[in-house]
Amino acid sequence: MSLEILWFCIVALFFTGYLFLEGFDFGVGMLLPVLGRNDTERRVLINTIGPVWDGNEVWLIVGGGAMFAAFPGWYASLFSGAYVPLLVLLVALIGRGVAFEYRGKVDSPRWRRTWDRVIIIGSWVATLGVGMVIATTVLGLPLDAHGNRVGSPFEAFRWDTMLGSLGVAGFALVHGAAFLSLKTAGELRERARLLAIRIMPVAMLPIVALLLLVQLREGSLWTLVMLAVTAVAAVVAWLKLLANRDGQAFAALALVVVGAVVVLFGSLYPNVLPSTLDAANSLTVEGVSSSPYTLKVMTWVAAFGAPAVLVYQSWTYWVFRKRISVRNIPPVHTP
Amino acid sequence: MDVLQLARWQFGITTVYHFLMVPLTIGLSVLVAGMQTAWVRTGNDRYYKMTKFWGKLLLVNFAMGVVTGIVQEFQFGMNWNSYSRFVGDVFGAPLAMEGLVAFFVESTFLGLWIFGWDRLSKKAHLACAWAFSLATMASAYFILAANSWMQHPVGVELVDGRPTMKSIWAVLTNSTALAAIPHTIAGAFSVAAAFLVGIGGWHLWRRRDEHRGVWRASLRLGGWTGVVAFVVLLVTGDMQGKLMFEQQPMKMAAAEALCHTEQPASFSIIAIGDVGSQNCEDVKTFNVPALLSFLAHNDFSTQVQGVEDLITQYQEKYGTNYPDDPALGELAGKPIDYTPSLPVTYWGFRLMIGLGAISAGIGVLALWLTRRDRIPDSKWFPRMVLLGMATPFLANSAGWIFTEMGRQPFVVVPNPTGVDGVWMFTAEAVSRISAGEVWVSLITLTTVYAALAIVEVFLMNKYVRGGIAGVLPPEKPKQDAESGETSDDDALTFAY
C-alpha cells in the first residue's frame, strides 16, 4: 500500500474516531432538554461526558491537522470552499466548549438556563455542520482548475449535503441516547433507553439515505457490502437496546460509524474532493498529497502517537466507568 | 477593505485574543503542578489550598484557550488557502504533530485531573497534572517551530515551485525556533508570575481570612518566578535579536525605525514624532551610541543596515512590482512596499521591553515589601500589584505583534542563506473567496470573543474574590486533604 493511500485511511480513521466519540457528546447535548427534566438530571447528563468531551473534540482538530500535513490541497480547498458551514461549526463548538466549563460556575437559575441553551443549540448546530462538511467532501464542490470554489458562498448548502447534516444529527441522537443508557442509572437510564428505541427507526433514515445516495453515485461492490454491514449493525443495535443490553448496543453503533465512514470514504477514493464542474478539476489522493518524505515522517509519528492516544483515552473511560445518577451529583458550590 | 486586509485583521485579532489565554495556561499549569507536588511530598495543607485555588483559575482560563485555538487550526485553510497549498508539505507536519503529541495529552489528562481527585491515587493524580502542564509546553514547541519556519524557512528544497520538506530535524531545530521557544515560555511564566503576585498580594494586603500563609506563599512564588523569567527573557531576547540581524535585517531596521545604514549603529530609546514618516529628518530620537551594533553582533562597531538601503536590495532580489495577476486584486501590478509598518514595529518593540521590565520590577518590589513576615499597609500596594497583572499580557501581545508585523509584506520570509524561491508575499497567500465571507467571519468571531472575554473576566473576578473558601467543598468532612483512597461515597467530588 502506498503512503498516500495509507494516509487517506488515517484521515478516514480520525473522522471515524471523531464521529464515534463526539457523536454521543453531541447527542447528549441535543437531548439535554428532552431527558433532563430538572437541573440535577441535566447535570447527570452533562457529567456523563464531563471528563472526556475535550479529548473527544481533539479528534476533529487532529483530523484537520492530518489533512493539512498529508493532503494540503484537500485541506485548503475544502476549508475555504465550505467556508460558511465551517464558520457556523466553529462558533457552535466555541459556545459549547465554554458552556460545559462555565455552566456550574455561578449559582443562579438564569445563568444555568443560558448556558444550557448554548449547549443545546451548540450541539445541534455543530452536528448539522459536521454532517454538512463531511457530505460536502464526498459529494463535491464547484472547483476550478486551481481547486478554488467558484460561485456563491452557499455552494455547500444543497439538498444532498443537507442529507449529510440530517444523517449525522439523527445518528448522534440515537448514539447519545444509547450512550446515556450505558452511563446513567435509575429512572434516567430507562428513559434514555426507551427514547433510543423509539426514535431510532426514524432517526437513522437520513444516514441510510445518504449512504444509499453515495453508493448509487460512486459506490462499488465492496462499499455495497459495507453498506449492508452498516444496516445490519443498526438493526442489531436496536434489538440489543430492546433486549436491555446497553454495552452490546453501543458496540453495534460503533460498527455503524465504521461502516458509514468506510462507505463514504471508500466511494470517495481516489478523489478527496470532487469538482461538480468538471471531473478533471477533482482533487485526488495522488494529486494533492504531500511529498513521500513528509508522509514518511508523519507515518512514524502516527505509528507511535495514535496507539498511545488510544491506550490513554481508553484508560480515561475505564477510570470513569461507573454509571452515574442523581444521587451522585454533589450540591452546587460557588463563591 | 479587500479580502487581504480583512483576512489579516481577522488573523491578527483571533491570534492576539488566543494568546491572552495561552501564556497564562502554560505558566500557571506548571506552577499548579509544582504546588500539587509540594502538597503530595510534604502533606502541608497550605499547598493543597494553593493547588485548588490557582487550579480553579487555570480551568476558567483554559476553557477559553481551547475554543479559541480550534479557530486557529482551521483558519489557515479558510482564509489562507494559497498559503496552505504552498507550504503544506512542511507547515502541516508540526501542526499535526502538535495535535497528536500535545493536544490529545492535554485534553485527556486535564479531564482526569479535574474529575479524578477521588478516582485516582494521589500520585497518579499528580502525574496527570504534570502530563497536562508538560503537554502545554510541548504544544508551544511545535507551533513555534511552525511559526519560526515562516520567519526563517529551513530544511526544504524547491520542487515544482513548492517547498518540499527535506529534513524534519532541520525544521524542528531551526535556530529561530530554538530562540523563540524559551523566549515565549519565559513570557508565559512572567504572565503567571504577575498573576500570583497580583492576586496573592491583594489578598495578603486585605488580611481578610485565615489563609494568609497561602497568599504569602503564592506572592513569593510569583515574585521569584517573575525574576527568573525576566532573566531568561533578556538572554533569549538578545539571542533573537542577533538572529534577526542575520535572518531578517528588515525587521531589525524596522524595530529601530533606522532609515539609513549606520556604522556603528545607535539604539533608539524613544522617539518624538511620527516614526513612519517618509522624511527621516522629521523624527527626533534619543539614542545610546553603538548599542544597536552590540545587540546585533556583540561588537560595538558592526554596520546595521537601514530601511532605505534594504528596500533597494529587496527590489533587486524580489522585484519592484507584484505580478500582474488578477488573483492579487487591488495589488496586481502595483509596486511592492517592503517596509513593515514602522510605528507598529518601533513602538511594539519598545512596549514589549518596557512593560516586561516594569512587570519584573513590580515582582521584585513586592518581594521586598513582603520580606520576612511583613504585610504592606499602603493602599498603593494593591493598586501596583493588580495593575502589574496587565503588564506581561501587554508585553506578550506587543512582542508578537512586532514579530508578525515586522515580517510584512512576506508571509514566508526569504531566508538569506536558504533555498532560492522559498518565500511568499502575504498578498499571494490569501484565499480566493469573497470579501463578504471574511467580513461575516471577522464580525462574528470578534463579537463572540468580546462577549466571552467579558464572561471570563467576570468569572475570574468572582473566584478571585471568593478566595480559598470559594474553591473548597465545605460540606465534606475530609475537605482538608482528600484521602486519595478509592471512594465509595455517593457524591462525586466534582461535577460540572
Side-chain angles (χ1 to χ4, degrees):
Chain A
M1 184 159 60
S2 74
L3 283 178
E4 288 89 352
I5 300 175
L6 176 68
W7 271 89
F8 183 72
C9 296
I10 292 176
V11 172
L13 179 79
F14 277 112
F15 279 96
T16 312
Y18 180 66
L19 286 173
F20 174 66
L21 295 169
E22 190 113 298
F24 60 74
D25 282 6
F26 284 149
V28 169
M30 294 154 87
L31 292 170
L32 203 59
V34 183
L35 290 174
R37 294 188 183 157
N38 55 42
D39 183 54
T40 314
E41 287 190 357
R42 280 194 287 274
R43 289 182 68 197
V44 173
L45 301 181
I46 293 171
N47 280 289
T48 57
I49 55 169
V52 294
W53 71 267
D54 194 6
N56 295 346
E57 197 162 286
V58 172
W59 284 81
L60 175 70
I61 298 170
V62 178
M67 255 168 114
F68 197 177
F71 304 102
W74 184 10
Y75 170 82
S77 294
L78 177 65
F79 282 31
S80 59
Y83 195 94
V84 177
L86 260 167
L87 176 67
V88 174
L89 168 63
L90 284 175
V91 173
L93 289 179
I94 290 174
R96 204 175 155 269
V98 172
F100 286 133
E101 199 62 58
Y102 287 180
R103 184 189 183 279
K105 294 278 186 282
V106 175
D107 190 9
S108 124
R110 213 178 118 211
W111 175 270
R112 280 194 289 266
R113 243 193 340 265
T114 309
W115 290 113
D116 279 352
R117 261 180 224 145
V118 177
I119 293 177
I120 296 159
I121 298 172
S123 300
W124 273 98
V125 172
T127 315
L128 295 170
V130 167
M132 181 172 287
V133 172
I134 290 176
T136 301
T137 204
V138 178
L139 299 166
L141 279 170
L143 300 179
D144 66 13
H146 303 287
N148 292 317
R149 183 203 67 215
V150 290
S152 91
F154 300 100
E155 292 295 342
F157 292 83
R158 301 195 306 260
W159 72 270
D160 50 359
T161 57
M162 289 192 192
L163 201 54
S165 291
L166 293 178
V168 174
F171 170 76
L173 282 173
V174 174
H175 198 33
F179 174 77
L180 287 172
S181 156
L182 182 69
K183 287 294 293 178
T184 57
E187 197 203 332
L188 209 48
R189 179 203 166 210
E190 201 47 30
R191 226 185 286 154
R193 192 175 72 89
L194 288 177
L195 182 81
I197 294 169
R198 224 172 285 151
I199 62 173
M200 196 163 164
V202 182
M204 296 295 266
L205 286 181
I207 189 79
V208 173
L210 174 75
L211 295 180
L212 275 174
L213 177 83
V214 170
Q215 173 67 32
L216 285 176
R217 285 196 193 166
E218 310 281 343
S220 53
L221 186 63
W222 69 277
T223 56
L224 186 65
V225 173
M226 279 315 289
L227 181 56
V229 170
T230 311
V232 170
V235 173
V236 169
W238 191 71
L239 293 173
K240 290 294 178 187
L241 281 170
L242 268 186
N244 224 342
R245 299 271 179 203
D246 302 326
Q248 292 174 10
F250 192 66
L253 284 172
L255 195 56
V256 170
V257 178
V258 174
V261 173
V262 170
V263 172
L264 292 175
F265 279 70
S267 310
L268 181 62
Y269 182 85
N271 289 335
V272 287
L273 179 61
S275 171
T276 53
L277 282 186
D278 181 353
N281 296 346
S282 295
L283 306 183
T284 62
V285 167
E286 300 284 335
V288 295
S289 72
S290 286
S291 63
Y293 175 78
T294 300
L295 291 179
K296 204 171 87 188
V297 169
M298 293 311 302
T299 305
W300 278 105
V301 175
F304 286 97
V309 171
L310 288 174
V311 168
Y312 62 69
Q313 286 207 338
S314 311
W315 180 62
T316 314
Y317 281 91
W318 173 252
V319 169
F320 300 108
R321 67 191 175 282
K322 274 190 183 171
R323 287 174 184 269
I324 59 173
S325 69
V326 282
R327 69 187 185 94
N328 301 115
I329 298 298
V332 179
H333 173 67
T334 60
Chain B
M1 283 198 280
D2 60 354
V3 175
L4 174 63
Q5 294 287 320
L6 290 166
R8 282 185 64 196
W9 273 106
Q10 180 175 330
F11 208 95
I13 290 171
T14 51
T15 314
V16 168
Y17 190 82
H18 182 54
F19 209 72
L20 293 176
M21 328 303 166
V22 168
L24 185 58
T25 298
I26 295 176
L28 203 52
S29 65
V30 176
L31 293 177
V32 167
M35 293 168 193
Q36 191 175 347
T37 309
W39 170 55
V40 170
R41 291 186 67 113
T42 65
N44 186 335
D45 197 40
R46 172 186 300 175
Y47 298 123
Y48 172 71
K49 288 170 180 159
M50 281 171 78
T51 311
K52 278 287 193 181
F53 179 78
W54 298 106
K56 192 63 100 177
L57 297 189
L58 172 67
L59 295 182
V60 170
N61 180 65
F62 182 73
M64 206 71 90
V66 168
V67 295
T68 55
I70 308 177
V71 175
Q72 297 307 103
E73 186 85 13
F74 291 175
Q75 200 172 174
F76 298 110
M78 291 170 76
N79 283 351
W80 304 96
N81 73 8
S82 306
Y83 166 80
S84 304
R85 287 187 192 112
F86 181 67
V87 302
D89 200 86
V90 255
F91 192 80
L95 248 63
M97 289 181 193
E98 182 188 22
L100 208 55
V101 177
F103 289 163
F104 269 128
V105 176
E106 265 178 79
S107 56
T108 309
F109 286 92
L110 185 69
L112 281 158
W113 189 74
I114 300 174
F115 288 86
W117 284 90
D118 64 347
R119 286 274 174 280
L120 297 169
S121 74
K122 254 188 195 176
K123 281 195 176 146
H125 187 245
L126 176 63
C128 291
W130 278 109
F132 168 70
S133 53
L134 294 178
T136 64
M137 286 205 273
S139 99
Y141 171 78
F142 286 112
I143 198 64
L144 288 171
N147 178 275
S148 298
W149 187 85
M150 300 163 75
Q151 314 273 353
H152 179 238
V154 291
V156 287
E157 57 194 353
L158 206 64
V159 179
D160 299 332
R162 273 180 44 187
T164 300
M165 189 152 65
K166 223 171 62 183
S167 160
I168 183 73
W169 180 247
V171 173
L172 293 179
T173 58
N174 190 346
S175 55
T176 321
L178 294 183
I181 289 155
H183 196 68
T184 313
I185 300 277
F189 274 98
S190 72
V191 167
F195 218 64
L196 263 64
V197 170
I199 295 167
W202 179 70
H203 270 294
L204 189 64
W205 174 81
R206 285 216 308 172
R207 302 172 167 89
R208 278 290 173 83
D209 51 29
E210 75 275 28
H211 304 296
R212 210 166 292 162
V214 172
W215 304 122
R216 175 181 297 280
S218 301
L219 180 144
R220 297 196 68 84
L221 173 63
W224 286 112
T225 307
V227 171
V228 174
F230 189 65
V231 173
V232 178
L233 281 169
L234 285 179
V235 174
T236 53
D238 181 56
M239 278 163 62
Q240 282 186 297
K242 288 179 172 50
L243 288 174
M244 197 180 14
F245 170 71
E246 290 167 17
Q247 298 170 352
Q248 293 172 283
M250 182 59 104
K251 195 190 277 184
M252 184 76 167
E256 292 301 314
L258 185 71
C259 288
H260 307 293
T261 301
E262 289 182 21
Q263 182 177 19
S266 53
F267 182 88
S268 155
I269 303 278
I270 202 155
I272 296 167
D274 176 15
V275 289
S277 154
Q278 293 299 311
N279 185 355
C280 288
E281 280 64 42
D282 285 355
V283 187
K284 288 191 174 43
T285 64
F286 297 95
N287 296 332
V288 180
L291 181 59
L292 186 59
S293 294
F294 183 77
L295 291 179
H297 207 234
N298 261 351
D299 126 25
F300 285 102
S301 60
T302 315
Q303 185 190 63
V304 179
Q305 290 174 298
V307 171
E308 293 187 353
D309 306 281
L310 285 165
I311 290 176
T312 324
Q313 291 174 25
Y314 277 90
Q315 283 175 338
E316 277 167 22
K317 261 191 179 163
Y318 309 109
T320 54
N321 292 66
Y322 284 111
D324 204 2
D325 180 353
L328 289 177
E330 293 171 4
L331 286 174
K334 292 276 164 58
I336 303 166
D337 182 4
Y338 283 105
T339 326
S341 164
L342 291 180
V344 171
T345 50
Y346 181 87
W347 291 111
F349 193 59
R350 267 140 207 84
L351 278 174
M352 168 184 76
I353 297 172
L355 290 167
I358 291 172
S359 168
I362 290 174
V364 172
L365 201 56
L367 283 177
W368 172 252
L369 292 172
T370 56
R371 66 193 184 279
R372 302 220 185 83
D373 280 330
R374 274 167 236 248
I375 298 178
D377 284 316
S378 160
K379 63 177 194 262
W380 289 102
F381 181 77
R383 291 180 193 175
M384 174 186 81
V385 290
L386 289 175
L387 277 178
M389 284 166 65
T391 50
F393 283 102
L394 295 173
N396 272 319
S397 298
W400 270 111
I401 289 170
F402 161 67
T403 307
E404 295 304 296
M405 291 191 64
R407 66 171 157 72
Q408 296 302 338
F410 294 103
V411 66
V412 179
V413 182
N415 178 351
T417 56
V419 183
D420 274 345
V422 181
W423 49 272
M424 189 182 212
F425 289 122
T426 311
E428 297 172 312
V430 75
S431 290
R432 312 287 176 246
I433 51 176
S434 65
E437 281 165 282
V438 195
W439 264 120
V440 170
S441 64
L442 174 62
I443 293 171
T444 311
L445 291 174
T446 310
T447 315
V448 170
Y449 282 11
L452 291 179
I454 296 169
V455 177
E456 178 174 349
V457 171
F458 163 75
L459 279 179
M460 281 278 187
N461 184 39
K462 187 177 161 68
Y463 274 87
V464 166
R465 283 173 187 279
I468 301 297
V471 294
L472 294 181
E475 62 275 42
K476 278 211 157 188
K478 52 173 184 173
Q479 70 179 64
D480 287 349
E482 271 132 311
S483 58
E485 294 155 14
T486 329
S487 163
D488 286 321
D489 282 358
D490 277 357
L492 302 163
T493 358
F494 178 79
Y496 276 139

